[in-house]
Amino acid sequence: MNNEKNNHYDASDIQVLEGLEAVRKRPGMYIGTTDVKGLHHLVWEIVDNSIDEALAGYCNSIEIVINKDNSITVKDNGRGIPVEIHKKTGISTVETVYTVLHAGGKFGGGGYKVSGGLHGVGASVVNALSKWVNVKVYKDGKIYECKFENGGKTVQKLTVIGECEPNRTGTTVTFKPDPEIFDSEIYDYDTLKVRTRELAFLNKGLSLNLRDDRDAEDTTGETFMYEGGISEYVRFINKGKTPIHENIIHLEGEEDGVMFEVAMQYNTTYSDNILSFVNNINTHDGGTHEEGVRRALTRVINNYARKNNILKEKDESLTGDDVKEGLTMIISCKHPNPQFEGQTKGRLGNSEVRKLADSVFSQGFERFLMENPTEAKLIVEKAISACRARNAAKRAREASRKSDLSISNFFGKLTDCKSKDPSESEIFIVEGDSAGGSAKKGRDSMTQAILPLRGKILNVEKARLDKALSNEEIRTIITAFGTGIGADFDLSKLRYDKIVIMTDADVDGSHIRVLLLTLFFRYFRPIVEAGHVYAAQPPLFRIRHGKTRKYVLDEPEKEKYLNSLKESERKNAEITRMKGLGEMDSEELYETTMDINTRVLRKITVDDLVEADSIFSQLMGEDVEPRRQFIEENARYADVDI
Ligand code: 1YM
């Protein structure tokens, strides 16, 4: 190549090295973290360049490969990074893009970068944080190659290494993250898969192939390509739910180079799932694109409902919450100059997008409603019933707020503790009246409150808030907790430091426990997150020998204890399998399950709320067995001995 230079460094080389050195010194500033998340982030920085090329209309296929050594190859069929000498740097554009921080779109000829990531600095950042990088460009019937090592030091300048078919173009980059920078070197296939699939949904018609070569048998990998784009994303999310209209509504528009697109479908559930993206990045805190759509959605549905007399003159208008019940929606905006706001930069700030989103959405959605009166009626009726439920829930909340602890009916159920100091108070929610009776007798009345449950509580997974609030057991729980529910919820008003679920170790007990957890996850989630919820661990065996009585939690503990006894004591030990809490008298129940000095509680934690959410949705069906398994396997109890 004519841009080969001598092998000594000059002033501009030193400047370049200093740039990349800065990235190595403070990787967090460029890729957030150096844990596995940062490791995976590198992949998207390279893929983003291919996606930009696809958005510019020059590339329709991207391949991502996890190689045997946990290096990554990204290959596209775009134009190939320019190979000419760059005017400013005097070296090839390929080398410039990979070694000069803040290189990027500026270096190319026109076109704007819309995909996410570091807006052009991505390639050099990946290079700075890699043990080695190999870039190949296919262009003009030639194969060019450029190599870097140890944090972006050029070890082979751009060189023609062979020939290719004259019409073949593209860029192939392979990099190995530097183990000195990252905590982990191992790529996770599923992590890459989820985002690869998402990128395919967000960029319709673009084919993304992901392959894992660490497992030599896998040679083809998985290809993600969706002609329907975000409409197919909506269908994917709604899989397993019942839609209330068959066709997914898809609207799009463009103004001044800003592209705006939305896809939506209502289903019969009571929760919504609205995801928004700007330049393929999830804007989890919303922003102007989301605001425009929400505003238009509320307005259009109200207008339609009134025009068609579904909503009468005297009826109150539907709110934003009413119209989004059961709605799955993907909003995608591609913007040449996005302003990301907020602490995590998860909010779009560009104000002109609000108007674009509003007008594209309202025009398209209005037309859909007009052309599809059957669907329109179902959508409006769903919103009206959400509105009724909201009002009913409000009335019920007000009623339950008024009916505080002074109500005798409530007192009949809850045996409260004497202390009014939440930090030392505990409430035991106990299965059955008989165990409830023993617990009341045995408890430490200063700090321990007892709430016996008669039978099963309502499955809130299948009910709206208004129905939940009409359920007596649930109302009692809300009143006892003191926090209120829904819009009124206030964690600081929680009357107990520990909420202990005390159920039998059988199927019924597990069922009741799951129903309670469902209630907590859906309506008292902050209580769970703050670590206030526990499951009691009643003993499974009682061992009597001579005058000694010993309770053990489970089989292994039983074996251990029996082994520790003397020969004559083994022989004579009387072992009883405890069938339920009701079998113990008040003293036994206190000693084994409630006494803070001897009991074992298990703290209930949720380390992945999103996953827990889907587990709850899936397992709240009619079958008892999956629920029981769930409680045994999935509730993610962290053992805490207290
Ligand atoms: C596997 C990674 O980097 N593909 C890629 C990058 C570029 C181009 C094409 C490209 C862009 C332009 C013109 C332009 C880049 N070019 C530059 C720069 N795949 C991968 N494919 N011609 C080719 O933006 O005008 C930076 S990235 F700056 F050199 F133009």
Side-chain angles (χ1 to χ4, degrees), residues 97-113:
V97 167
Y98 271 80
T99 55
V100 181
L101 211 57
H102 295 294
K106 292 178 266 184
F107 292 87
Y112 58 78
K113 304 279 160 200

Side-chain angles (χ1 to χ4, degrees), residues 341-362:
E341 295 178 340
Q343 214 157 38
T344 53
K345 301 279 174 217
R347 223 190 86 82
L348 181 70
N350 304 59
S351 63
E352 80 282 2
V353 177
R354 193 183 289 113
K355 225 178 90 216
L356 173 65
D358 186 318
S359 86
V360 170
F361 184 84
S362 55

